[in-house]
Amino acid sequence: MSDNNKLMTGILILAAGIVILLGKLGFFSFLGRAFWPLLLLIPGIVLHLWHFWRKGPSELLLPGAILVVYSIVFFIAIIGGWGTLKYTWPLFFLGIAVGLFEYDYFSPRRQSGMFIAALIIGAISVILLGWTLFSLSLIYVLAVLLIIGGIWLIVARGRGKNRSIW
């Protein structure tokens, strides 16, 4: 066996040992648990690139946008815990709205009602997201800000333009 063959065989055996050791230590299961949304993100980006490189129709943007937005939602769930989905579920509607908007905006032929549908679905998504987020402790922050604003307006009434509150 030549020295080059021994070197290559040694490198392959070393790499196999490292892969087996990392697998037994749980490294690859961590990667699978943490980065599986890339299985949605990468095809979504590829669909966008395929269209923008003029190799595919604008219809590719609809599933591409949905996949990208859904992968972001799942990354948020992985980072914040799966309990965050009870607050971020309206973003699934936003994925559809973004896809419809991209399709309508970049399509050479405009279809009537597509932009309006994207706008309505997007607005519903944002309203529902706001509603679910206000069910968190953010409602307390809003209440305190409203109380401070009300007190400031009450205290500032009757003062001239040139006067300061303080």
Side-chain angles (χ1 to χ4, degrees):
M1 187 180 260
S2 71
D3 284 341
N4 284 341
N5 286 343
K6 286 180 184 177
L7 177 66
M8 288 305 293
T9 305
I11 290 174
L12 289 175
I13 290 173
L14 177 67
I18 290 172
V19 167
I20 290 170
L21 181 63
L22 289 174
K24 291 304 283 179
L25 293 174
F27 180 74
F28 297 115
S29 64
F30 165 75
L31 288 178
R33 282 191 313 269
F35 295 113
W36 67 265
L38 287 175
L39 296 174
L40 299 176
L41 181 64
I42 292 171
I45 291 172
V46 167
L47 289 173
H48 277 86
L49 292 176
W50 197 5
H51 167 72
F52 290 120
W53 287 341
R54 306 285 186 235
K55 302 212 186 263
S58 57
E59 285 82 8
L60 295 175
L61 295 173
L62 181 60
I66 291 171
L67 288 173
V68 168
V69 172
Y70 285 13
S71 68
I72 292 169
V73 172
F74 289 131
F75 272 124
I76 291 169
I78 288 172
I79 292 168
W82 289 100
T84 57
L85 280 178
K86 69 181 176 182
Y87 302 108
T88 59
W89 62 268
L91 293 177
F92 290 114
F93 293 121
L94 188 63
I96 297 169
V98 170
L100 288 173
F101 174 77
E102 283 186 356
Y103 172 64
D104 181 58
Y105 189 78
F106 293 108
S107 178
R109 56 190 185 288
R110 299 284 178 185
Q111 296 184 8
S112 63
M114 187 71 69
F115 178 73
I116 299 298
L119 195 63
I120 290 171
I121 295 171
I124 289 172
S125 173
V126 169
I127 289 169
L128 290 174
L129 182 65
W131 190 350
T132 58
L133 289 179
F134 277 130
S135 67
L136 292 169
S137 60
L138 291 176
I139 196 71
Y140 295 112
V141 173
L142 177 65
V144 169
L145 289 175
L146 289 173
I147 291 169
I148 291 171
I151 290 171
W152 182 76
L153 287 173
I154 290 170
V155 171
R157 76 182 194 318
R159 296 184 186 243
K161 289 183 181 180
N162 295 335
R163 290 186 172 169
S164 169
I165 297 175
W166 314 107

